[in-house]
Amino acid sequence: MPDTSDDSRRRLVGQPLLYAISIFASIGVFLFGYDQGVMSGIITGPYFKKYFHDPTPIDVGTMVAVLEIGAFITSLAAGRVGDLIGRRGTLMTGAVVFTIGGAIQTFTVGFWTMIVGRIVSGFGVGLLSTIVPIYQSEISPPDHRGALACMEFTGNIVGYSSSVWTDYFCSYIESDMSWRIPLFIQCVIGSILAIGSIYIPESPRWLIDTGDEVAGMHVIADLHGGDPTDTIALTEFDEIKMKVVEDRASGEKRTYTVMWKKYKRRVLLAMSSQAFAQLNGINVISYYAPRVFEQAGWVGRRAILMTGINSLVYIASTIPTWYLVDRWGRRAILLSGAVIMASALMATGYWMYINVPQTPGAVVICVIIFNAAFGYSWGPIPWLYPPEIMPLNFRAKGVSLSTATNWLFNWMVGQITPYLQVAITWRLYPMHGFFCILSFLLVYFLYPETKGVPLEEMDAVFGEDHRQEQLENDSETTSLMAGGSSHHGSDLDPERLNYPPLQNEDDGEEKLLWLRRLFKRQGKRSHYEPITPARD
């Protein structure tokens, strides 16, 4: 067996490798952050309006929001694609498709060409927005999983901010290049992601799940420092492998129907987190911030400048969550964010309603507070939560449904906002504030905490697994953690990889194991308790 420490394909090991992968994967979310923001600045530009013959609010809404239709379609397909060609292959495919769509937008010859380009880019965004959170969650250790996912979301907001400032500086160009250059930058970034995805490792959980245990162990060993005899790496491999064997022994098909029947609660929670992330009003600001500021009294390029300043605060607001998400937990962050967002949106509507000389400045402050609260709470957590709570055998499909929900509601908000800004004016903001209140109630009563829970032990959070049962069945893991020194001195224990083949789901011993687990089920636990090994 090849020695992982001598694997020349990856030079980095341990935390440097983990952070390098996380930063690179963030390019994927940078892309759809950039794409979400780039249209907000160019749609108010004079050369853009002239080229598209002064588009109506419906035309503008269509050009902005049609991307979500493409993203919705491929985010549904990404569940199947991610299982077939892997996380890395899906990442590369999404980057290539996105780049093609960016090129069509850049060299558009009219309204309908722009629509086609936006849809094609949406296809790429749907794949990327589904697979990047899955990939990140599957390579991250439990105690850093939240922080790494939140760092990834910061990449999304950096992309958004970059697009806003690009729009601002290009607005000084006196030609159609003022809007074509910002669109072309999408192609450059997409190409970098597509080429770079060749060099990152595949998800170890996907490798083990598809029967390539040796390659999966290599990646795990690299993530833990490159030593294939490392106790923690071997323990993690055992835990993943046991979960895979258990899932295979159950004989369940990996269909959406089976997932819905067995994990309905998890699927609904994952979908609701993404739905309320959009209903809470973020894309009223992300897509149409210059228009919001114009409504409040800022005119022309000054509206884009205010949007750019707001985006810098938005970036800064995502950073505290890096440290808080694995300390406070997911629930506390979502609940506090919902309260602040609701207050800021209500205040925004109030200042627009009274329309006094102080309104422009007050609206800027309210929008900045809202964006900061979203960036620290409902921005990152709905991308972290779904891949955490879904089991490995249905993770790609469950996350695909939650991401599709994101893009469906994203499209609804993006499409209707220009109309509502005219039809109901200031009332639009309290309306989204009401949804913030609903999201608070949803989290308070229904969302379990997942802080620090290993992905393979998430069943315990939902009362679908039992401590005693796992202690009995994880005897090898327990023995390993209690006396891991016995594994040192060898390359990799051959017995560790000598599990029943994944294709052979009728193995007699695995049937007995499954029956024993089936008949030993006990009452549900209301909260998660860490599974700890027995001590001598």
Side-chain angles (χ1 to χ4, degrees), residues 152-300:
E152 182 181 285
F153 179 75
T154 300
N156 176 274
I157 308 308
V158 170
Y160 167 73
S161 180
S162 299
S163 69
V164 172
W165 284 106
T166 300
D167 287 345
Y168 176 72
F169 289 117
C170 287
S171 69
Y172 288 93
I173 300 175
E174 301 293 332
S175 70
D176 285 343
M177 298 304 289
S178 62
W179 56 270
R180 290 189 189 269
I181 289 176
L183 293 174
F184 178 72
I185 291 176
Q186 298 175 102
C187 306
V188 177
I189 303 168
S191 299
I192 293 172
L193 180 62
I195 295 170
S197 61
I198 298 171
Y199 300 100
I200 62 175
E202 180 56 87
S203 160
R205 285 175 168 83
W206 182 81
L207 290 169
I208 296 170
D209 190 38
T210 54
D212 197 348
E213 295 92 349
V214 175
M217 182 61 206
H218 282 176
V219 178
I220 293 173
D222 279 351
L223 291 170
H224 288 282
D227 180 6
T229 63
D230 178 76
T231 300
I232 298 177
L234 293 172
T235 301
E236 183 175 336
F237 174 86
D238 280 341
E239 193 171 45
I240 296 170
K241 183 62 182 180
M242 286 181 181
K243 183 64 175 175
V244 169
V245 170
E246 177 186 340
D247 291 337
R248 297 289 175 135
S250 71
E252 288 181 335
K253 295 182 179 180
R254 299 189 176 193
T255 64
Y256 283 96
T257 302
V258 172
M259 178 182 69
W260 179 255
K261 288 180 179 178
K262 188 171 183 180
Y263 300 108
K264 182 187 297 183
R265 181 189 173 196
R266 301 198 204 188
V267 174
L268 288 174
L269 290 179
M271 294 172 68
S272 68
S273 69
Q274 290 286 17
F276 275 97
Q278 303 310 314
L279 291 174
N280 285 353
I282 184 58
N283 280 331
V284 174
I285 307 302
S286 295
Y287 285 161
Y288 302 108
R291 286 194 164 202
V292 174
F293 291 129
E294 283 183 344
Q295 276 189 321
W298 300 90
V299 181

Side-chain angles (χ1 to χ4, degrees), residues 24 32 57 102 113 128 164 170 319 345 383-384 388 408 415 458 470 483:
F24 182 78
F32 64 84
T113 313
L128 292 172
V164 172
C170 287
I319 296 175
L345 287 170
W383 294 105
L384 163 65
E388 278 192 324
L408 176 62
Q415 182 69 50
M458 200 61 68
Q470 288 210 8

Side-chain angles (χ1 to χ4, degrees), residues 348-379:
T348 300
Y350 170 77
W351 282 105
M352 287 188 172
Y353 169 69
I354 63 176
N355 193 23
V356 295
Q358 294 79 18
T359 291
V363 167
V364 168
I365 293 172
C366 291
V367 168
I368 287 175
I369 292 173
F370 168 82
N371 252 153
F374 181 88
Y376 130 88
S377 60
W378 283 88

Side-chain angles (χ1 to χ4, degrees), residues 312-490:
L312 296 179
V313 179
Y314 197 4
I315 293 174
S317 72
T318 67
I319 296 175
T321 314
W322 300 3
Y323 305 98
L324 297 176
V325 68
D326 291 316
R327 291 173 172 81
W328 286 8
R330 287 52 163 156
R331 281 171 49 87
I333 291 175
L334 289 174
L335 291 170
S336 57
V339 171
I340 300 171
M341 290 159 58
S343 301
L345 287 170
M346 297 292 184
T348 300
Y350 170 77
W351 282 105
M352 287 188 172
Y353 169 69
I354 63 176
N355 193 23
V356 295
Q358 294 79 18
T359 291
V363 167
V364 168
I365 293 172
C366 291
V367 168
I368 287 175
I369 292 173
F370 168 82
N371 252 153
F374 181 88
Y376 130 88
S377 60
W378 283 88
I381 304 301
W383 294 105
L384 163 65
Y385 202 69
E388 278 192 324
I389 65 176
M390 294 305 301
L392 175 61
N393 52 337
F394 291 109
R395 183 166 295 134
K397 290 181 174 64
V399 174
S400 76
L401 285 181
S402 70
T403 307
T405 303
N406 168 78
W407 294 116
L408 176 62
F409 281 84
N410 205 314
W411 170 78
M412 289 170 54
V413 173
Q415 182 69 50
I416 201 171
T417 291
Y419 172 77
L420 292 180
Q421 284 177 323
V422 175
I424 64 175
T425 59
W426 62 270
R427 299 172 185 85
L428 173 65
Y429 306 98
M431 181 187 78
H432 285 290
F434 172 73
F435 284 116
C436 292
I437 296 171
L438 291 183
S439 69
F440 176 94
L441 297 174
L442 181 73
V443 172
Y444 185 83
F445 289 107
L446 297 178
Y447 278 42
E449 183 56 68
T450 58
K451 176 186 68 174
V453 183
L455 296 180
E456 280 65 43
E457 296 178 20
M458 200 61 68
D459 289 354
V461 173
F462 291 88
E464 298 163 355
D465 202 3
H466 305 284
R467 185 174 188 177
Q468 184 61 38
E469 176 181 292
Q470 288 210 8
L471 284 173
E472 291 177 0
N473 294 328
D474 290 355
S475 57
E476 184 176 7
T477 301
T478 300
S479 174
L480 178 69
M481 296 182 70
S485 59
S486 62
H487 295 286
H488 291 275
S490 61

